Amino acid sequence: MDMTMTPHGATEPRARNNSGWRSASDLLDSADRLAGQGASSDVSKSAALIAVKRVGAQIGLKPADLMLLDTLCAFSQPQDWEAARRPIVWPSNALLEEQTGLSRSALKRRTRRLAEAGLITFADSPNGKRWGRRGAGGYIIEAYGFDLSPLAARAGEFTALHAQIVEDRALCARLKRQITIARRTIRARLERTPCAELLGRLSAVLETMPRAKATAKRLEHVLDSLQDILAALTEIPAKPDPKGPENEPHIQTTNQLPKVEKGQGPQTPMELGHVLTACPEFAFWVQSLGHHVRHWADLTRLAGEIKGFIGITDRAWASALRDMGDRAATIALALIFDKHARNEVRSCTGYLRGMAAKARAGALHLDRSIHGRLSAQAGAACV
């Protein structure tokens, strides 16, 4: 069913033109149904165009398709997109050829593509001609041509699709960072504890690493394989470091944590061992990358080196150091690192900024977080 405009600008059903000059299809019928839904939408032309352009490639549109759609929308007026209205435009082929640079045959192909993609439909007149007239307030009284109502109907769908695409991209970026960390860790460990079998497994996994347009599922498979190799490496005794044990971080497993009073921030008396024990993921990456920690200054420097692994920007890190002090900022980063590893934090930069804001307000209690983690670890060990 097509729709035509009543004298008051509302819509009513109209039988599809059966003159035979345009062949029908299920996709075109679907576009007609979407047009009916679009008539009840109240979305602006700019919002609809932005929504579809953001997902154009994902729904199979080419740049020329989007350019033609943009041109068609330019012939509509804001009031055409109001609820209970139909944005129908009636430019001639000659005008479209002039404005798009497309040939007559290309216009025919691409308008049909837009219709089959569910973005426009054809409001046909009995003789196939495009024309229309407007009344008071510029509202359409009667029109035949390209009906853009399907685009209005799908604007919300495209907005949701774009949000999903952004989320998937963020997930893939996070998985790629985790893969990078795992790969570097494995190589560092293999340098200290050579194992031909595991080196071969690493090479085989890296060969399967997708080079472009990797899906989250593929990346998760690669990360799982690398984590299996890491698990196997932990079962191989590491060779003693020639520099001696004094260069290794002293990690004391304990749940007896000194109290840090509100506002102490950078002057916290918390020991290195408390933080490294409470944040094993952070400690794991610091140690696995071949670094040595003897003093707080070492840990702060290394935190600055690996912060990018979880997406924390240089600017956010510099602000945290300024607002919180070196030691408190380092502890905060260690906590965020472990939360990120457990998928408890999406935006690590935003989370760090939030912690810095709490520190400025005197409402940040890092001792409680560390003590809580140590207590939970001690409780789990007793189970």
Side-chain angles (χ1 to χ4, degrees):
M1 298 291 289
D2 282 339
M3 308 290 285
T4 189
M5 307 301 296
T6 68
H8 300 292
T11 57
E12 62 181 14
R14 174 174 57 82
R16 176 183 273 281
N17 184 314
N18 292 317
S19 62
W21 69 275
R22 178 184 293 113
S23 60
S25 74
D26 290 341
L27 291 175
L28 294 182
D29 288 340
S30 176
D32 285 344
R33 290 191 292 272
L34 286 168
Q37 299 171 22
S40 61
S41 301
D42 188 9
V43 58
S44 69
K45 173 172 62 177
S46 60
L49 277 171
I50 289 172
V52 71
K53 287 178 180 180
R54 284 174 170 170
V55 299
Q58 284 71 27
I59 63 175
L61 296 182
K62 298 182 181 300
D65 300 327
L66 289 171
M67 181 266 292
L68 175 58
L69 181 62
D70 190 83
T71 301
L72 292 175
C73 287
F75 288 104
S76 67
Q77 297 185 11
Q79 65 271 19
D80 300 341
W81 296 81
E82 295 175 0
R85 300 286 172 180
R86 298 288 286 271
I88 297 176
V89 296
W90 52 94
S92 66
N93 285 332
L95 184 56
L96 287 176
E97 289 174 31
E98 176 185 338
Q99 296 205 2
T100 65
L102 297 173
S103 66
R104 184 72 56 90
S105 60
L107 280 173
K108 184 177 180 180
R109 288 195 309 271
R110 296 198 179 278
T111 53
R112 188 177 180 94
R113 278 172 56 88
L114 290 175
E116 293 182 340
L119 300 175
I120 68 171
T121 191
F122 302 104
D124 299 334
S125 66
N127 61 2
K129 300 296 183 180
R130 299 181 207 132
W131 63 276
R133 58 194 180 96
R134 296 179 181 273
Y139 287 102
I140 295 174
I141 297 176
E142 188 175 10
Y144 300 95
F146 301 107
D147 189 342
L148 307 173
S149 299
L151 174 58
R154 301 187 69 188
E157 172 195 342
F158 294 147
T159 299
L161 175 59
H162 178 254
Q164 183 61 52
I165 291 171
V166 171
E167 184 176 340
D168 290 344
R169 285 174 180 167
L171 173 59
C172 287
R174 183 166 68 250
L175 288 170
K176 287 178 180 179
R177 289 195 299 270
Q178 292 172 343
I179 287 171
T180 298
I181 294 171
R183 174 175 53 80
R184 291 175 178 174
T185 302
I186 292 171
R187 290 195 182 280
R189 286 194 170 191
L190 286 174
E191 288 178 1
R192 297 178 60 180
T193 311
C195 176
E197 178 189 353
L198 294 180
L199 181 59
R201 285 174 58 181
L202 174 62
S203 299
V205 170
L206 294 181
E207 286 179 1
T208 66
M209 179 71 183
R211 302 302 178 189
K213 296 183 179 180
T215 63
K217 186 175 181 179
R218 287 281 307 278
L219 292 172
E220 286 172 348
H221 177 72
V222 171
L223 183 58
D224 287 343
S225 299
L226 292 175
Q227 288 175 338
D228 288 342
I229 297 174
L230 276 172
L233 273 169
T234 60
E235 299 176 0
I236 302 176
K239 293 181 178 179
D241 194 306
K243 296 181 180 179
E246 70 277 4
N247 287 325
E248 294 297 331
H250 173 64
I251 303 178
Q252 177 183 358
T253 303
T254 176
N255 61 0
Q256 300 299 317
L257 189 65
K259 175 66 176 175
V260 180
E261 298 298 334
K262 176 179 177 180
Q264 275 189 282
Q267 287 76 40
T268 171
M270 203 177 302
E271 296 180 6
L272 275 174
H274 291 131
V275 177
L276 294 173
T277 301
C279 304
E281 187 75 17
F282 175 73
F284 174 76
W285 293 122
V286 168
Q287 293 175 282
S288 296
L289 291 175
H291 297 304
H292 306 290
V293 181
R294 288 174 291 179
H295 308 291
W296 275 105
D298 297 329
L299 194 60
T300 298
R301 175 177 54 80
L302 296 174
E305 291 182 13
I306 67 174
K307 68 183 186 306
F309 292 166
I310 56 174
I312 290 180
T313 64
D314 292 340
R315 183 175 180 180
W317 179 239
S319 295
L321 292 172
R322 182 185 64 248
D323 295 340
M324 305 170 70
D326 291 0
R327 188 172 299 186
T330 301
I331 297 170
L333 180 66
L335 288 166
I336 295 172
F337 213 102
D338 274 53
K339 284 179 174 291
H340 178 270
R342 293 172 174 78
N343 294 320
E344 297 174 3
V345 176
R346 277 192 174 183
S347 173
C348 294
T349 290
Y351 202 89
L352 180 62
R353 285 173 175 162
M355 294 179 78
K358 285 187 176 182
R360 290 194 299 270
L364 183 66
H365 304 288
L366 295 172
D367 63 309
R368 297 178 185 175
S369 298
I370 297 297
H371 183 75
R373 285 174 171 269
L374 292 174
S375 298
Q377 292 172 6
C382 294
V383 174

